[in-house]
Coordinates of all heavy atoms in Angstrom, one line a residue:
D322 N -116.9 -44.7 26.3 CA -116.4 -45.8 25.4 C -116.3 -45.3 24.0 O -117.2 -44.6 23.5 CB -117.4 -47.0 25.5 CG -116.8 -48.2 24.8 OD1 -116.4 -48.1 23.7 OD2 -116.9 -49.3 25.4
M323 N -115.2 -45.5 23.3 CA -115.0 -45.0 22.0 C -116.0 -45.6 21.0 O -116.2 -45.1 19.9 CB -113.5 -45.3 21.5 CG -113.2 -46.8 21.5 SD -111.4 -47.1 21.0 CE -111.6 -47.0 19.2
H324 N -116.6 -46.7 21.4 CA -117.6 -47.4 20.5 C -119.0 -46.9 20.7 O -119.9 -47.3 20.0 CB -117.6 -48.9 20.7 CG -116.2 -49.5 20.4 ND1 -115.6 -49.5 19.1 CD2 -115.3 -50.1 21.2 CE1 -114.4 -50.1 19.2 NE2 -114.2 -50.4 20.5
D325 N -119.2 -46.0 21.7 CA -120.5 -45.5 22.0 C -120.7 -44.1 21.2 O -120.3 -43.1 21.7 CB -120.6 -45.2 23.5 CG -122.0 -44.7 24.0 OD1 -122.8 -44.2 23.1 OD2 -122.3 -44.9 25.2
S326 N -121.3 -44.2 20.1 CA -121.3 -43.1 19.2 C -122.0 -41.9 19.8 O -121.6 -40.7 19.6 CB -122.0 -43.5 17.9 OG -121.3 -44.5 17.2
A327 N -123.1 -42.1 20.5 CA -123.9 -41.0 21.1 C -123.0 -40.3 22.1 O -123.0 -39.1 22.1 CB -125.2 -41.5 21.7
A328 N -122.3 -41.1 23.0 CA -121.5 -40.4 24.0 C -120.3 -39.7 23.4 O -119.9 -38.6 23.8 CB -121.0 -41.5 25.0
V329 N -119.7 -40.3 22.4 CA -118.6 -39.7 21.7 C -119.1 -38.3 21.0 O -118.4 -37.3 21.1 CB -118.0 -40.6 20.6 CG1 -117.0 -39.8 19.7 CG2 -117.3 -41.8 21.2
A330 N -120.3 -38.3 20.5 CA -120.8 -37.1 19.8 C -121.0 -36.0 20.9 O -120.7 -34.8 20.6 CB -122.1 -37.4 19.1
E331 N -121.4 -36.4 22.1 CA -121.6 -35.4 23.2 C -120.3 -34.8 23.6 O -120.2 -33.6 23.8 CB -122.3 -36.1 24.4 CG -123.7 -36.4 24.2 CD -124.3 -37.0 25.5 OE1 -123.7 -36.8 26.6 OE2 -125.4 -37.6 25.4
V332 N -119.2 -35.6 23.7 CA -117.9 -35.1 24.1 C -117.4 -34.2 22.9 O -116.8 -33.2 23.2 CB -116.9 -36.3 24.3 CG1 -115.5 -35.7 24.6 CG2 -117.4 -37.2 25.5
A333 N -117.6 -34.7 21.7 CA -117.2 -33.8 20.5 C -117.8 -32.5 20.6 O -117.2 -31.4 20.3 CB -117.5 -34.6 19.2
A334 N -119.1 -32.4 20.9 CA -119.8 -31.1 21.0 C -119.2 -30.2 22.0 O -119.1 -29.0 21.8 CB -121.3 -31.4 21.2
T335 N -118.9 -30.8 23.2 CA -118.3 -29.9 24.3 C -116.9 -29.4 23.9 O -116.5 -28.3 24.4 CB -118.1 -30.7 25.6 OG1 -117.2 -31.8 25.4 CG2 -119.5 -31.3 26.0
H336 N -116.3 -30.0 22.9 CA -115.0 -29.5 22.5 C -115.1 -28.8 21.1 O -114.0 -28.6 20.5 CB -114.0 -30.7 22.4 CG -113.6 -31.2 23.7 ND1 -112.5 -30.6 24.4 CD2 -114.1 -32.2 24.5 CE1 -112.4 -31.3 25.6 NE2 -113.3 -32.2 25.6
H337 N -116.3 -28.5 20.7 CA -116.6 -27.8 19.4 C -116.0 -28.5 18.2 O -115.4 -27.9 17.3 CB -116.1 -26.4 19.5 CG -116.6 -25.6 20.7 ND1 -117.9 -25.3 20.9 CD2 -115.9 -25.3 21.9 CE1 -118.0 -24.7 22.1 NE2 -116.8 -24.7 22.7
I338 N -116.1 -29.8 18.2 CA -115.5 -30.6 17.1 C -116.7 -30.9 16.1 O -117.7 -31.4 16.4 CB -115.0 -32.0 17.6 CG1 -113.8 -31.7 18.5 CG2 -114.6 -32.9 16.5 CD1 -113.3 -33.0 19.3
E339 N -116.4 -30.5 14.8 CA -117.4 -30.7 13.8 C -117.6 -32.2 13.5 O -116.6 -33.0 13.4 CB -116.9 -30.0 12.5 CG -117.9 -30.1 11.3 CD -119.2 -29.5 11.6 OE1 -119.3 -28.4 12.1 OE2 -120.3 -30.2 11.4
T340 N -118.8 -32.7 13.4 CA -119.1 -34.1 13.2 C -119.9 -34.4 11.9 O -120.0 -35.5 11.5 CB -119.9 -34.7 14.4 OG1 -121.1 -33.9 14.5 CG2 -119.1 -34.5 15.7
A341 N -120.4 -33.4 11.3 CA -121.3 -33.6 10.1 C -120.5 -34.2 9.0 O -119.3 -33.8 8.7 CB -121.8 -32.3 9.6
D342 N -121.0 -35.3 8.4 CA -120.5 -36.0 7.3 C -119.1 -36.6 7.5 O -118.3 -36.8 6.6 CB -120.3 -35.0 6.1 CG -121.7 -34.5 5.6 OD1 -122.6 -35.2 5.6 OD2 -121.7 -33.3 5.3
K343 N -118.8 -36.9 8.8 CA -117.6 -37.5 9.1 C -117.8 -39.0 9.5 O -118.8 -39.3 10.1 CB -116.9 -36.8 10.3 CG -116.1 -35.6 10.0 CD -115.4 -35.1 11.2 CE -114.6 -33.8 10.9 NZ -113.8 -33.3 12.1
H344 N -116.9 -39.8 9.1 CA -116.9 -41.2 9.6 C -116.8 -41.3 11.1 O -116.1 -40.5 11.7 CB -115.7 -42.0 8.9 CG -115.7 -43.5 9.1 ND1 -115.4 -44.0 10.3 CD2 -116.0 -44.5 8.3 CE1 -115.5 -45.3 10.2 NE2 -115.9 -45.6 9.0
P345 N -117.5 -42.2 11.8 CA -117.5 -42.2 13.2 C -116.1 -42.3 13.8 O -115.8 -41.7 14.9 CB -118.4 -43.4 13.6 CG -119.3 -43.6 12.4 CD -118.5 -43.1 11.2
D346 N -115.2 -43.1 13.2 CA -113.9 -43.3 13.7 C -113.0 -42.0 13.5 O -112.1 -41.8 14.3 CB -113.2 -44.5 13.1 CG -113.7 -45.8 13.6 OD1 -114.4 -45.7 14.7 OD2 -113.4 -46.8 13.0
V347 N -113.3 -41.2 12.5 CA -112.7 -39.9 12.4 C -113.1 -39.0 13.6 O -112.2 -38.3 14.1 CB -113.0 -39.3 11.0 CG1 -112.4 -37.8 11.0 CG2 -112.4 -40.1 9.9
I348 N -114.3 -39.0 13.9 CA -114.8 -38.3 15.1 C -114.1 -38.8 16.3 O -113.7 -38.0 17.2 CB -116.3 -38.4 15.2 CG1 -117.0 -37.8 14.0 CG2 -116.8 -37.6 16.5 CD1 -118.5 -38.1 13.9
V349 N -114.0 -40.1 16.5 CA -113.4 -40.6 17.7 C -111.9 -40.1 17.7 O -111.5 -39.7 18.8 CB -113.4 -42.2 17.6 CG1 -112.4 -42.8 18.6 CG2 -114.8 -42.7 17.9
N350 N -111.3 -40.1 16.6 CA -109.9 -39.7 16.6 C -109.7 -38.2 16.9 O -108.8 -37.7 17.6 CB -109.2 -40.0 15.3 CG -107.7 -40.0 15.4 OD1 -107.1 -40.7 16.3 ND2 -107.0 -39.2 14.6
D351 N -110.7 -37.4 16.4 CA -110.7 -36.0 16.7 C -110.9 -35.7 18.2 O -110.2 -34.9 18.8 CB -111.8 -35.2 16.0 CG -111.5 -35.1 14.5 OD1 -110.4 -35.3 14.1 OD2 -112.5 -34.8 13.7
V352 N -111.7 -36.5 18.8 CA -112.0 -36.4 20.3 C -110.7 -36.9 21.0 O -110.3 -36.3 22.1 CB -113.2 -37.3 20.7 CG1 -113.3 -37.4 22.2 CG2 -114.5 -36.6 20.1
F353 N -110.1 -38.0 20.5 CA -108.8 -38.5 21.2 C -107.8 -37.3 21.2 O -107.1 -37.1 22.2 CB -108.3 -39.7 20.4 CG -107.1 -40.3 21.0 CD1 -107.2 -41.4 21.9 CD2 -105.8 -39.9 20.7 CE1 -106.1 -42.0 22.4 CE2 -104.7 -40.5 21.2 CZ -104.9 -41.5 22.1
E354 N -107.6 -36.7 20.0 CA -106.6 -35.6 20.0 C -106.9 -34.5 20.9 O -106.0 -33.9 21.5 CB -106.5 -35.1 18.5 CG -105.9 -36.1 17.6 CD -105.9 -35.6 16.1 OE1 -106.5 -34.5 15.9 OE2 -105.3 -36.3 15.3
A355 N -108.2 -34.2 21.1 CA -108.6 -33.1 22.0 C -108.6 -33.4 23.4 O -108.3 -32.5 24.3 CB -110.1 -32.6 21.6
T356 N -108.8 -34.6 23.8 CA -109.0 -35.0 25.2 C -107.8 -35.8 25.8 O -107.6 -35.8 27.0 CB -110.3 -35.8 25.4 OG1 -110.2 -37.0 24.7 CG2 -111.5 -35.0 25.0

Side-chain angles (χ1 to χ4, degrees):
D322 189 311
M323 61 183 274
H324 302 294
D325 185 338
S326 298
V329 170
E331 288 183 16
V332 177
T335 64
H336 289 273
H337 309 290
I338 294 170
E339 181 61 47
T340 59
D342 299 321
K343 281 188 179 178
H344 188 284
D346 284 346
V347 173
I348 299 170
V349 165
N350 200 56
D351 288 345
V352 171
F353 184 93
E354 291 177 354
T356 62

